[in-house]
Amino acid sequence: MTMDTNQQQSTKQLLDRLETLPPQLKDAIFSSENADKMFEIGKQHELMIDKFGEMAHEAGLLMLGVTHPDEFVGNLAARLEVDKAKAKAIAYDINR
């Protein structure tokens, strides 16, 4: 299976953006503490295990500046297939 051109460009853009981040932010994004926090938030909100990665991915896009903060809750709702109220509660826990 190969990536199409759009996927390759998106991946390159994300990698380029990641390279420009300060080391502390890079460390935070990939830390085991962050992964543990995402896991706990997923459990707390009774997400299916396959949605934990979706939640972490969307949080990463927010930290990279790809997702605008005003779009975060809506993106979470769509990716996690939950209503906006639940997505807002999840976003609150991620931001704590």
Side-chain angles (χ1 to χ4, degrees):
M1 181 186 298
T2 61
M3 295 174 111
D4 67 24
T5 303
N6 289 338
Q7 286 176 314
Q8 289 173 344
Q9 288 174 341
S10 295
T11 300
K12 182 177 179 347
Q13 289 172 339
L14 285 175
L15 292 173
D16 289 346
R17 187 165 289 200
L18 185 60
E19 287 300 315
T20 66
L21 292 178
Q24 289 177 323
L25 186 52
K26 271 196 249 186
D27 291 345
I29 290 172
F30 295 109
S31 74
S32 62
E33 292 169 5
N34 190 39
D36 291 345
K37 180 180 178 181
M38 290 293 128
F39 182 79
E40 290 304 318
I41 291 169
K43 279 185 10 184
Q44 175 187 345
H45 290 279
E46 299 177 343
L47 297 177
M48 299 297 291
I49 193 81
D50 64 318
K51 298 298 181 185
F52 287 29
E54 296 290 329
M55 177 184 61
H57 183 85
E58 195 59 49
L61 292 175
L62 178 69
M63 288 189 272
L64 285 170
V66 174
T67 297
H68 189 277
D70 292 343
E71 298 170 347
F72 186 52
V73 171
N75 289 356
L76 277 176
R79 283 186 89 134
L80 303 179
E81 300 175 0
V82 299
D83 62 41
K84 291 258 180 156
K86 185 166 189 155
K88 188 174 183 179
I90 293 168
Y92 174 80
D93 288 340
I94 291 171
N95 288 323
R96 285 192 311 162

